[in-house]
Amino acid sequence: MTKENINIECTLNQAIEMGLTEEEFKLICQKIGKTPNLTEAGICSAMFSEHCSYKSSKKWLKTLPTSGDHVIQGPGENAGIIDIGDDQAIVFKIESHNHPSFIDPYQGAATGVGGILRDVFTMGARPIALMNVLRFGDINHSLTNHLLRGVVEGIGGYGNCIGIPTVGGETNFNKSYNSNILVNAMATGLVNKNKIFYSAASGVGNPVIYVGAKTGRDGIHGATMASAEFSDDTDSQKPTVQVGDPFTGKLLLEACLELMKTELILSIQDMGAAGLTSSSVEMASKGNVGIEIDLDEIPLREKNMSSYEIMLSESQERMLMILKKGAEEDAKKIFKKWDLDFAVIGKIISPKKIILKKENTIVCNLPLDFLVNESPELDREYEIKTSKVNLSNNKIFNKKSIKTIIYNIIGNENFASKKWIYEQYDSSVMGDTISIGIKSDASIVKIHGSEKGQFKGKAVAISTDCNSKYILNNPIEGGKITVAEAARNLVVSGAKPLAITNNLNFGNPEKKEIMGQIVGSIKGIKEACEQLNTPVVSGNVSLYNETNGKSILPTPVIGMVGIVNNIEKIIYMNAKNNETLFIIGQDENKYDGFLQSSLYQEIFCDDLLGQVPPIDLKKEKQIHDFVMKLNDNEVINSAHDISDGGLLPCMIEMLLFNKLGININLPPRIQNLNEENLLFLHGWLFGEDQSRIIISTKKPDKLMEFSKSENIKIYCIGKTNNTGVVEIPKYDSICINKCLDLYNNAIPNLFP
């Protein structure tokens, strides 16, 4: 082994290559009273990166509501935790692996799944479900096919092998993602409330333990790479992409959960972004103690690794933990049984520092407060831009037949079934999956063992959502709508929304308009979470998602979790024959929603600029409560949220599975055919007015009674039949079989 020369000082150019700014490098020199060596500078660069420090966003993230009656753990830990009763809790989080997935789609996506799973089981929870939110470039772009196939294979390759069901998510396409795709992975787990584990280190003299796989050179400076823009030279960054091993991940999961059944473990942290650096620094900082590590004790899979490489490696399937004194041998037996590395690599110390030793020499000595509590917090300039583009008159209005328009929407890659994708994931492993988001608007997983006598059990409902076009045109209103729609998806599935995790994907925050998108969307998310009582308990921020200065669409993803207290109360999407369809929250005299139809506009205008449909959050909450009351009183047979594309496409989704038809009851004003009324008809059929839900019922009279007593507007669309034809009197008729063919085959036809 070559002895390191720790006296080599880091130069400014080297620091900048690591991702530090000149101002940050000068601050480091000032705070530690010397010029840092390469290892110390590398640790500072990782901890100061956007990925670890949230320096551009944390001022605004602090404004989000994070507490509530059911919140056990909010942001600041590996994952958030909410109480679901019966001494059980749900642990969940969403996180990005965007840059790695563009460079190496298979490994980038696979390690994204592995990392989010570790965030959940490090809290003591057994993972029960995976979700993902994917954004790719134009469907015809030369890279889209390659990237999509690689990402889907990576997600399936890790999730399927480790034995956790992938139960839902989103996949959308837009040219803004041509050179910067998004891969956001969400995991949900179940834990007993008395067996939750946290990451704060404690107890001076307690041993620091490394477990899992060996450390290699993969992923070095991954956190810094994830905090920078791309250029054309992305292939050169492949060494910064981690390599995952789901079989080792499965062993690590089981070994950690077995150890957690004992009383030996005090705290635990996943080695995620920035690897051993962030895990050791954050554990010690949270516990208000210091940490000393002997790097010669780290299990390595490559020779002659420097202290810089060891600390900045992001090799996968590794954990750091603090044990009680004297517990080392008992814990070691568990990990040896699972054929995993186990090493005592250091101890907790009193001075609040991170001290690293190699070959009996101190190679790093840094104050922890400086790395965490005093890390940069930027107050960037911002400008919240709101589109003033008026889509009235004929700019968006398309005089094609309703039939032609609906076939274009149903067969569009951003509306059509993603069956080709999700069938590559194992959604039924573990045997508790009830719905994967095609039978209902939310994905639903039964809480294993919750049955009691005649009681069939409880379930967790999960949804993800983001309409980037809304955020682009009005960040505040778009942020509200994103939260509201995620909640609506839970409500129409029979679940009570409880809390959210978010993944804020944006471009370069140094640009005022991008920072305005960030600030505006957080403001909107805050307002909606407060009104809907869904606090933010975990999340992730991914910035600099742009290539050669060209940004992605702003994509603040919301992942929401709710509870189904009785699985017999689950609501599914598919209507049945001879049921009456109603719109909940619809004013029959309102027709101008057409002016705000983002999907219609995207398909027929190739233009995203336009005004965003406003949302009344008080009305939204009333609609949620009303639907839950209808469900409690067994009035609802099926339900579906009205969102992308408006009423007609969403209603057709409800009819597809059973190949039903309906004779639509048009509002009085548009029952007579003329050009002015045709414009209003388009608005009524395709407008994206908010806070609306379609339900089917066998009890229309009871529904109308409830609507009057609760003062909720409803509108009767008509009664389903078995003709397989959607009749729009005097205007057009639509063949459900044709819709079904387009819906099911659009994506497979694009990726043969």
Side-chain angles (χ1 to χ4, degrees):
M1 184 178 292
T2 304
K3 192 172 183 69
E4 288 187 47
N5 186 346
I6 64 165
N7 296 316
I8 298 178
E9 296 180 342
C10 179
T11 67
L12 175 59
N13 284 339
Q14 287 173 321
I16 290 173
E17 286 178 4
M18 294 177 187
L20 290 165
T21 65
E22 182 175 353
E23 294 75 15
E24 288 169 344
F25 184 66
K26 289 178 179 178
L27 179 64
I28 292 165
C29 295
Q30 176 188 337
K31 285 286 186 178
I32 68 175
K34 65 169 188 172
T35 302
N37 61 34
L38 287 176
T39 301
E40 292 168 329
I43 288 172
C44 290
S45 72
M47 295 307 300
F48 285 9
S49 69
E50 290 282 2
H51 202 76
C52 292
S53 74
Y54 299 106
K55 56 188 173 186
S56 293
S57 56
K58 60 185 172 184
K59 170 184 175 179
W60 300 101
L61 294 175
K62 291 174 184 176
T63 67
L64 291 170
T66 58
S67 60
D69 293 340
H70 47 277
V71 175
I72 296 173
Q73 175 62 53
E77 269 293 342
N78 289 290
I81 309 179
I82 53 174
D83 190 337
I84 59 168
D86 298 319
D87 293 321
Q88 291 179 311
I90 290 295
V91 180
F92 66 105
K93 187 182 182 184
I94 192 168
E95 196 160 71
S96 63
H97 234 221
N98 302 334
H99 284 41
S101 297
F102 182 76
I103 297 169
D104 186 337
Y106 183 93
Q107 290 296 349
T111 51
V113 173
I116 199 66
L117 285 172
R118 289 193 300 278
D119 281 338
V120 166
F121 74 73
T122 194
M123 305 292 293
R126 177 169 291 279
I128 59 173
L130 286 162
M131 301 271 283
N132 55 72
V133 174
L134 311 177
R135 295 290 187 271
F136 296 98
D138 187 285
I139 202 83
N140 297 310
H141 189 268
S142 58
L143 283 177
T144 298
N145 192 323
H146 160 70
L147 293 169
L148 174 64
R149 289 181 185 276
V151 166
V152 171
E153 288 175 7
I155 291 170
Y158 204 102
N160 296 355
C161 290
I162 202 170
I164 309 298
T166 300
V167 298
E170 289 187 338
T171 303
N172 285 91
F173 302 87
N174 182 276
K175 62 186 178 182
S176 76
Y177 306 104
N178 281 351
S179 300
N180 202 126
I181 63 174
L182 301 184
V183 176
N184 292 180
M186 179 177 173
T188 302
L190 181 67
V191 67
N192 290 329
K193 285 166 60 177
N194 64 345
K195 276 294 182 180
I196 295 171
F197 288 83
Y198 298 96
S199 59
S202 62
V204 172
N206 282 334
V208 178
I209 310 296
Y210 171 117
V211 298
K214 289 180 170 60
T215 295
R217 288 189 170 93
D218 54 318
I220 292 174
H221 257 304
T224 305
M225 180 269 288
S227 305
E229 291 182 31
F230 274 150
S231 67
D232 291 326
D233 188 26
T234 55
D235 280 346
S236 66
Q237 300 183 58
K238 282 196 174 181
T240 62
V241 178
Q242 311 91 324
V243 178
D245 179 356
F247 300 104
T248 301
K250 173 66 171 175
L251 297 177
L252 184 61
L253 184 158
E254 298 299 343
C256 287
L257 292 181
E258 182 175 338
L259 180 63
M260 288 167 172
K261 292 178 181 177
T262 71
E263 302 297 326
L264 305 178
I265 187 170
L266 296 175
S267 54
I268 182 169
Q269 173 95 358
D270 164 42
M271 289 192 215
L276 187 55
T277 289
S278 62
S279 55
S280 57
V281 167
E282 289 173 6
M283 289 183 81
S285 176
K286 288 174 187 175
N288 205 30
V289 292
I291 191 166
E292 180 180 294
I293 295 175
D294 185 349
L295 298 180
D296 293 325
E297 299 300 322
I298 304 290
L300 304 177
R301 68 167 184 261
E302 299 183 45
K303 295 180 180 179
N304 300 322
M305 288 186 68
S306 67
S307 56
Y308 175 96
E309 292 173 321
I310 293 170
M311 290 303 294
L312 275 298
S313 167
E314 293 187 8
S315 293
Q316 297 292 286
E317 288 83 44
R318 303 178 301 158
M319 292 281 199
L320 198 65
M321 57 180 65
I322 312 300
L323 297 181
K324 294 179 179 178
K325 289 180 184 177
E328 296 92 328
E329 286 305 313
D330 287 339
K332 184 176 182 179
K333 289 177 185 177
I334 292 174
F335 284 89
K336 288 302 178 185
K337 182 184 84 172
W338 291 99
D339 197 25
L340 295 167
D341 279 291
F342 178 99
V344 180
I345 64 168
K347 62 184 179 181
I348 298 302
I349 59 176
S350 181
K352 293 167 62 178
K353 295 183 175 184
I354 177 170
I355 297 174
L356 306 177
K357 294 181 178 179
K358 197 169 188 290
E359 302 170 35
N360 296 316
T361 302
I362 293 178
V363 296
C364 170
N365 187 338
L366 291 171
L368 288 174
D369 279 342
F370 172 61
L371 292 174
V372 181
N373 300 325
E374 298 171 17
S375 65
E377 179 176 328
L378 304 178
D379 187 9
R380 294 195 185 277
E381 291 186 29
Y382 66 90
E383 181 182 0
I384 300 177
K385 290 187 174 181
T386 301
S387 174
K388 300 296 191 294
V389 174
N390 188 340
L391 297 176
S392 60
N393 301 321
N394 292 324
K395 180 176 181 182
I396 185 175
F397 177 46
N398 190 297
K399 294 183 181 179
K400 290 184 173 69
S401 68
I402 300 296
K403 180 189 301 184
T404 301
I405 293 169
I406 194 63
Y407 291 161
N408 273 273
I409 290 176
I410 296 291
N412 181 268
E413 62 271 16
N414 286 329
F415 190 91
S417 169
K418 305 306 186 294
K419 185 177 181 180
W420 181 87
I421 295 172
Y422 66 71
E423 282 191 339
Q424 298 183 53
Y425 308 143
D426 189 338
S427 61
S428 59
V429 65
M430 298 178 70
D432 290 319
T433 304
I434 296 174
S435 174
I436 60 170
I438 51 170
K439 294 193 296 183
S440 59
D441 280 20
S443 299
I444 303 173
V445 178
K446 183 180 177 182
I447 297 173
H448 193 76
S450 59
E451 312 92 329
K452 296 176 183 176
Q454 297 298 311
F455 178 63
K456 298 290 181 65
K458 301 193 298 183
V460 177
I462 316 162
S463 69
T464 56
D465 199 79
C466 181
N467 188 319
S468 296
K469 298 182 283 286
Y470 290 165
I471 305 293
L472 176 70
N473 287 302
N474 189 328
I476 296 176
E477 208 70 17
K480 295 179 196 175
I481 290 171
T482 298
V483 174
E485 187 175 340
R488 222 178 296 144
N489 287 333
L490 294 180
V491 169
V492 299
S493 302
K496 178 183 179 181
L498 292 179
I500 74 166
T501 181
N502 57 41
N503 206 140
L504 309 181
N505 306 275
F506 292 93
N508 185 346
E510 297 164 38
K511 299 175 181 178
K512 287 198 298 185
E513 66 271 20
I514 301 296
M515 195 63 213
Q517 293 170 355
I518 297 168
V519 173
S521 63
I522 291 175
K523 286 176 177 286
I525 290 168
K526 172 182 183 291
E527 190 174 338
C529 288
E530 289 174 341
Q531 188 68 45
L532 302 179
N533 192 27
T534 54
V536 183
V537 297
S538 61
N540 174 244
V541 177
S542 175
L543 305 182
Y544 294 95
N545 287 291
E546 53 183 70
T547 300
N548 295 329
K550 194 169 184 179
S551 175
I552 63 165
L553 284 174
T555 314
V557 172
I558 297 297
M560 187 174 289
V561 169
I563 187 72
V564 179
N565 286 313
N566 183 346
I567 63 172
E568 293 187 294
K569 293 288 188 179
I570 292 172
I571 307 171
Y572 296 102
M573 183 195 306
N574 301 310
K576 294 184 176 63
N577 188 26
N578 202 32
E579 293 178 345
T580 305
L581 296 188
F582 283 88
I583 310 172
I584 308 297
Q586 176 74 47
D587 185 341
E588 71 171 72
N589 296 313
K590 192 172 191 310
Y591 308 104
D592 61 353
F594 168 68
L595 308 181
Q596 303 151 333
S597 183
S598 62
L599 186 59
Y600 184 111
Q601 180 189 358
E602 178 183 353
I603 294 171
F604 295 107
C605 300
D606 192 30
D607 179 10
L608 299 179
L609 294 179
Q611 295 174 350
V612 174
I615 184 167
D616 180 339
L617 291 170
K618 289 185 178 179
K619 175 188 173 183
E620 181 77 33
K621 185 66 167 65
Q622 288 174 337
I623 296 297
H624 294 186
D625 293 342
F626 181 64
V627 170
M628 286 189 279
K629 182 173 183 177
L630 293 179
N631 192 35
D632 287 340
N633 286 274
E634 301 181 345
V635 176
I636 297 177
N637 287 62
S638 65
H640 188 25
D641 161 45
I642 298 179
S643 55
D644 293 355
L647 166 62
L648 184 57
C650 295
M651 183 187 70
I652 286 176
E653 279 189 296
M654 297 180 71
L655 305 177
L656 285 178
F657 184 79
N658 291 314
K659 300 181 181 179
L660 301 174
I662 191 169
N663 193 321
I664 295 180
N665 172 37
L666 294 176
R669 176 170 180 175
I670 51 182
Q671 288 177 2
N672 296 316
L673 178 59
N674 58 55
E675 186 164 316
E676 182 185 19
N677 285 349
L678 188 60
L679 176 63
F680 286 123
L681 175 67
H682 281 226
W684 194 75
L685 293 176
F686 303 110
E688 294 175 6
D689 289 348
Q690 294 299 299
S691 308
R692 296 182 301 156
I693 290 165
I694 310 174
I695 72 159
S696 73
T697 181
K698 291 274 192 180
K699 304 173 181 177
D701 292 340
K702 195 168 184 180
L703 170 60
M704 288 187 279
E705 286 178 16
F706 275 117
S707 72
K708 288 178 182 177
S709 65
E710 300 291 328
N711 196 28
I712 298 290
K713 293 183 182 297
I714 62 173
Y715 183 82
C716 179
I717 307 173
K719 186 175 285 189
T720 59
N721 56 52
N722 59 9
T723 64
V725 176
V726 175
E727 291 285 356
I728 306 171
K730 299 182 182 180
Y731 288 95
D732 219 333
S733 60
I734 297 159
C735 174
I736 287 295
N737 276 333
K738 172 73 170 176
C739 290
L740 188 61
D741 179 62
L742 290 166
Y743 188 73
N744 285 335
N745 295 315
I747 298 294
N749 288 343
L750 290 165
F751 299 97

